[in-house]
Amino acid sequence: MWQPGFPFVEARRARLEGYRRAFCVYSLHYRGTQARPGLVLGLARGGMCEGIAFRVAQEDANAVRDYLHARELIYGVYREAMLPADLMGGVLGNVRAEGPPERLDVLTYVAESCHPSFAGGLPLQRQSEIIRAARGVAGSNLVYLVATLRKLATLGIRQRDLERLAAITGVCGQVGAEGEKELQCLEARCRAFAARTGIQPSHVRNDRRHAFAFRRRLAP
């Protein structure tokens, strides 16, 4: 939500039933490494998720989808799915927030529970230990947690398990001078993303021939 990475023409508050936001994916690239994996958020089955739905211009749709494929479908831990969500009306900054909901199918990326990188069910204490220690090419895993909490706070979204995780981790919105500098850089990049008219190619090499090879190892 705080770093979409593509140009959009509208952002609306959205509610997705049947899936919840959870630190359920081991990150081996962006927020961790093979030697010390991090944890990133994904949509896990069960519950409900409140967040943002972005609308992109028709002429950007194919490029945005290609960008998201290259960024998200690296290891096969995410599965692309069109799911029905309730979008709210009204305006709050550049995010629509109040008014009667409108049900639309939205493009999502759901975490595959049978993938080796799926980390669902970890206790909060273990999540905290992983997040505090991990860093990847996109930066600190701790900053990722704080940036998410801050964005949820600006939207008025309460997620109790993430708030408990922050308390256990000892951040509660604070990451120190180095982390604050990283957050400022992220915020500047977010403002630039919102104003962009083109899509930057992903720097990740996504060999999709092997992205879903794990499925061949599953029992029929």
Side-chain angles (χ1 to χ4, degrees), residues 24-151:
C24 63
V25 174
Y26 287 114
S27 177
L28 310 179
H29 182 78
Y30 290 117
R31 299 290 169 174
T33 64
Q34 292 279 351
R36 192 184 290 274
L39 282 176
V40 292
L41 293 162
L43 288 174
R45 288 188 178 276
M48 181 269 293
C49 179
E50 286 191 84
I52 301 175
F54 298 96
R55 181 168 65 88
V56 302
Q58 184 64 41
E59 59 270 22
D60 291 334
N62 289 336
V64 167
R65 198 161 188 166
D66 288 345
Y67 167 81
L68 290 173
H69 283 183
R71 191 182 78 182
E72 303 297 340
L73 303 184
I74 304 173
Y75 311 113
V77 68
Y78 292 116
R79 172 176 56 84
E80 185 180 83
M82 295 294 293
L83 298 175
D86 293 320
L87 277 59
M88 311 304 165
V91 177
L92 176 62
N94 69 333
V95 178
R96 298 175 64 88
E98 304 295 337
E102 175 187 8
R103 172 140 308 186
L104 292 174
D105 287 339
V106 297
L107 180 67
T108 66
Y109 291 89
V110 175
E112 287 266 27
S113 59
C114 55
H115 194 277
S117 291
F118 184 74
L122 291 177
L124 292 180
Q125 182 61 47
R126 181 56 182 149
Q127 293 181 34
S128 172
E129 293 167 358
I130 293 172
I131 289 170
R132 288 197 67 88
R135 173 179 289 273
V137 297
S140 162
N141 205 171
L142 197 62
V143 168
Y144 177 94
L145 168 61
V146 173
T148 300
L149 291 168
R150 289 187 177 182
K151 186 62 177 181

Side-chain angles (χ1 to χ4, degrees), residues 75-77 112-116 210-218:
Y75 311 113
V77 68
E112 287 266 27
S113 59
C114 55
H115 194 277
H210 306 296
F212 298 94
F214 76 96
R215 290 178 175 166
R216 293 198 293 270
R217 300 193 294 273
L218 300 178

